[in-house]
Amino acid sequence: MDTHLAQLAGALYAWGKPQEVVAATEKYTPIALAWVQQRATPEMWALGDEAIRWLAIGQHGMSACSIFWKTTGVKPDLIRSLKSMDDTRFPLDPNDLGRCRLLLEQVPYVAERFESVMVQEGRVWAALVNRWALMCATMDEEAPEWRNGKSTAGALGGTTPKTWEIMDDIVRNELH
């Protein structure tokens, strides 16, 4: 299953052989970008082309979308139904962290506001922001190819057990 392809195609699920997923992603990327560009408001355009591009074809997860929302005021479709953000919209594993990192790398407007905004979004977010550099450095050490789609193996730690442990410790300490 490929959640990014599903997002691009406006579907709940998408799957196929690896070469089919690649071909479908290439097909749907310009369609998704055009769709978001057509419905973008002037406020969205004011965030920059990078923000529009991320909204259309970026790697979305609950935590990355929450960062985008809180730093820009624009809710990505994935979280459009949320009324408020509570302390549960933070990255739970290295895959979530990777999506957040990609957002910050791809959208300067969001990156500039990340620390000052997200540190105010509850105890867990404050602790994550304060240890962000450590989490990123550890993830880069454990999975240097993560930006190229190499798995960080999610919640079980897999190829990034130290990163997962840091994240898990933060969440546990702040929730209890």
Side-chain angles (χ1 to χ4, degrees):
M1 187 158 67
D2 190 288
T3 57
H4 184 65
L5 174 56
Q7 170 198 327
L8 294 175
L12 293 176
Y13 305 102
W15 63 90
K17 296 176 184 170
Q19 67 271 22
E20 293 169 343
V21 169
V22 169
T25 299
E26 290 172 1
K27 174 184 175 183
Y28 284 104
T29 293
I31 295 168
L33 185 56
W35 187 77
V36 170
Q37 288 172 332
Q38 288 172 357
R39 61 178 259 241
T41 64
E43 294 80 16
M44 291 166 69
W45 281 109
L47 301 174
D49 291 342
E50 300 93 345
I52 299 295
R53 184 170 181 77
W54 184 85
L55 284 167
I57 62 174
Q59 296 282 336
H60 293 193
M62 294 297 284
S63 51
C65 287
S66 294
I67 293 169
F68 191 90
W69 172 30
K70 297 312 282 187
T71 58
T72 69
V74 175
K75 280 188 192 179
D77 287 341
L78 182 64
I79 63 168
R80 188 157 309 278
S81 65
L82 294 180
K83 300 285 186 249
S84 66
M85 188 168 102
D86 57 30
D87 231 10
T88 62
R89 307 294 180 207
F90 46 80
L92 294 170
D93 62 42
N95 285 334
D96 286 341
L97 177 61
R99 286 186 288 273
C100 294
R101 293 182 67 190
L102 288 172
L103 165 64
L104 297 176
E105 290 175 2
Q106 294 167 1
V107 186
Y109 186 96
V110 171
E112 291 166 8
R113 290 156 183 77
F114 171 70
E115 287 185 17
S116 64
V117 171
M118 297 312 293
V119 76
Q120 299 176 41
E121 291 303 320
R123 290 175 35 206
V124 174
W125 268 114
L128 288 168
V129 168
N130 288 332
R131 297 190 65 197
W132 198 262
L134 173 64
M135 292 186 306
C136 293
T138 304
M139 184 173 163
D140 288 346
E141 180 183 305
E142 291 183 297
E145 296 293 316
W146 70 269
R147 286 179 187 85
N148 300 324
K150 303 294 188 225
S151 177
T152 55
L156 298 179
T159 59
T160 53
K162 293 176 187 173
T163 306
W164 187 85
E165 185 177 343
I166 293 167
M167 295 175 73
D168 189 54
D169 286 347
I170 292 169
V171 172
R172 279 197 228 200
N173 288 337
E174 296 307 321
L175 288 180
H176 301 303

